[in-house]
Amino acid sequence: MIKKFIKIWSLDWMKDYKLRDPRSVWGQAMLLTVIMMSGIFMVATAIAGMLTFYQLQQANDVSSSAMAIFAADGALEESVYRYLNTRVDCLDGVVCELAVSPFDNRAIGEAEVAMPANNDGPIKFFSFGYDPGKRTTRSLEMRLQFGL
């Protein structure tokens, strides 16, 4: 019994094993590489197609786009009004956010004011408008230059 066990684990049985020609493995490696590369390209194409589909779907959504652009416009107007008619505490060279009143159609508007450092340049107003689901975004920018 012990001899049989030793014979199984010895390397004598490999003497009769005929090794294949190593050149025959090259075709298998190339085939495997081509299949893997095809899979990678297929996944990349599927992802690009999905992103393009979502962008086209979003571009055709006119009502959400209109809500977003009007929300951005309303936020821009309100931020300029607040800056000119109320006291806004913004330091030079710092961007500060202004709170915007909510809109009746549930669209969301945000506004920022960028003060120039040392009063060298124009005051920049940035506004961002979103549809109620925040899927569509539109942004506007306005610059005010005083003392021309």
Side-chain angles (χ1 to χ4, degrees), residues 32-54:
L32 184 63
T33 303
V34 168
I35 290 172
M36 287 175 53
M37 292 296 290
S38 299
I40 290 170
F41 285 131
M42 185 176 67
V43 168
T45 304
I47 290 172
M50 184 179 63
L51 292 175
T52 303
F53 173 74
Y54 286 135

Side-chain angles (χ1 to χ4, degrees), residues 49-64:
M50 184 179 63
L51 292 175
T52 303
F53 173 74
Y54 286 135
Q55 286 180 352
L56 287 173
Q57 187 178 14
Q58 182 182 2
N60 289 331
D61 192 4
V62 177
S63 64
S64 294

Side-chain angles (χ1 to χ4, degrees), residues 15-32:
K15 290 178 185 175
D16 298 331
Y17 184 72
K18 205 174 196 181
L19 291 175
R20 284 191 273 169
D21 187 12
R23 289 178 289 178
S24 67
V25 180
W26 292 349
Q28 294 173 359
M30 187 173 76
L31 183 62
L32 184 63

Side-chain angles (χ1 to χ4, degrees), residues 83 113-116 119 121-125 142-146:
Y83 178 79
V113 178
M115 303 296 287
N119 292 327
I123 301 167
K124 296 178 186 175
F125 294 89
M142 180 177 160
R143 298 175 186 204
L144 287 179
Q145 181 83 35
F146 295 107

Side-chain angles (χ1 to χ4, degrees), residues 5 7 33 35 47 68 94 102 105 121 139 142 147-148:
F5 181 74
K7 187 174 183 185
T33 303
I35 290 172
I47 290 172
V94 176
N105 63 354
S139 61
M142 180 177 160
L148 290 177

Side-chain angles (χ1 to χ4, degrees), residues 77-96:
E77 289 178 10
E78 189 172 345
S79 64
V80 171
Y81 177 81
R82 284 190 184 179
Y83 178 79
L84 294 176
N85 294 324
T86 61
R87 183 170 177 237
V88 177
D89 294 328
C90 286
L91 301 174
D92 290 346
V94 176
V95 175
C96 56

Side-chain angles (χ1 to χ4, degrees), residues 120-145:
D120 288 342
I123 301 167
K124 296 178 186 175
F125 294 89
F126 303 100
S127 67
F128 307 96
Y130 308 99
D131 70 329
K134 278 199 165 186
R135 292 174 303 173
T136 305
T137 304
R138 299 292 179 257
S139 61
L140 299 173
E141 177 182 349
M142 180 177 160
R143 298 175 186 204
L144 287 179
Q145 181 83 35

